[in-house]
Amino acid sequence: MIPAPKYPYPFIDHIIISEEEIRERVRTLGEQITEEYKDSEKILLMGLLRGSVMFITDLMRQIQRPLTIDFMSVSSYSGTSSSGFVRIDSDHKSNIHGWDVILIDDIVDTGYTIHTVRKLLADRKPNSLKTCALLDKVERHKIDIKIDYLGFSIPDYFVVGYGLDLDEKGRNLPYIASVDLKRYQELYGDLN
Ligand code: IMP
Ligand code: MG
């Protein structure tokens, strides 16, 4: 692991996935989706705001099929822990009936978010429904789920960057970095 530069977020600990590694993995995920959806004219990438934004904008450029995107905003997290209760803050706009939907989140932790949203979307009768996440902390799952298109499995670190945040900080980093929680608390006080 390479120590992360302390600028612009002094609470960053280590870069755990570099820009190059992300770019390469996103490219192969795009290739895989292009191949597996080669007969579909109705691909819809459904991103969960706001964490999946950087991932979805990179991934969509690597899928050589006609596609469209939509977003939902959901929350279950405060600070560094999942509440287990998933709230829909803003629903998607398009009718997904008959579409080949790929639900995209930044990271899977307990699994409640992606599981809950997946069930909700399934009730809306898409033609097909798969899940995609950049990161998965498999050892923290509280339910039995498997992500169809996964970027990387990671250990139980709290991470920021490439769209992911800690209380809205760190989203614009181009890599995935672990957080020094002790340092974070010295800087910003206790996490709620
Ligand atoms: P789950 O519902 O417990 O699976 O939590 C998934 C959601 O929690 C993701 O959409 C993220 O917004 C957030 N999350 C979980 N772990 C992290 C992390 O390490 N960094 C940033 N956000 C995280
Ligand atoms: Mg999220």
Side-chain angles (χ1 to χ4, degrees), residues 48-52 74-77 79-84 86 105-116 135-137 140-142 145 154-161 163-167 171 177 179:
L48 297 186
L49 293 172
R50 283 162 286 181
S52 73
V74 304
S75 45
S76 69
Y77 241 69
T80 59
S81 58
S82 172
S83 66
V86 180
D105 203 2
D106 51 359
I107 184 166
V108 179
D109 182 22
T110 62
Y112 289 135
T113 301
I114 207 151
H115 174 75
T116 306
L135 305 170
D136 190 0
K137 299 193 240 186
R140 286 184 48 94
H141 285 189
K142 291 211 175 126
I145 46 156
I154 61 165
D156 181 13
Y157 295 130
F158 198 87
V159 292
V160 295
L164 289 90
D165 72 303
L166 174 51
D167 280 349
R171 290 196 197 274
V179 171

Side-chain angles (χ1 to χ4, degrees), residues 161-186:
Y162 200 69
L164 289 90
D165 72 303
L166 174 51
D167 280 349
E168 297 305 324
K169 297 177 202 65
R171 290 196 197 274
N172 56 332
L173 295 168
Y175 42 73
I176 298 290
S178 58
V179 171
D180 180 342
L181 288 170
K182 202 166 149 272
R183 184 89 181 96
Y184 186 94
Q185 280 166 349
E186 285 163 12

Side-chain angles (χ1 to χ4, degrees), residues 30-82:
E31 268 177 17
Q32 192 187 345
I33 293 170
T34 301
E35 172 59 26
E36 291 178 17
Y37 287 77
K38 63 177 186 293
D39 298 322
S40 173
E41 299 291 330
K42 293 188 85 175
I43 302 171
L44 191 153
L45 306 182
M46 181 70 77
L48 297 186
L49 293 172
R50 283 162 286 181
S52 73
V53 163
M54 214 183 274
F55 180 36
I56 199 170
T57 56
D58 280 347
L59 182 63
M60 68 190 285
R61 278 176 273 198
Q62 300 299 329
I63 301 173
Q64 268 94 57
R65 293 296 307 151
L67 63 75
T68 184
I69 57 170
D70 203 341
F71 293 95
M72 298 170 73
S73 179
V74 304
S75 45
S76 69
Y77 241 69
S78 67
T80 59
S81 58
S82 172

Side-chain angles (χ1 to χ4, degrees), residues 96-97 101 103 115-129:
I96 65 169
H97 181 83
V101 176
L103 171 61
H115 174 75
T116 306
V117 178
R118 191 189 187 289
K119 267 198 327 214
L120 182 98
L121 294 181
D123 286 344
R124 296 174 178 174
K125 305 277 178 283
N127 182 53
S128 68
L129 179 57

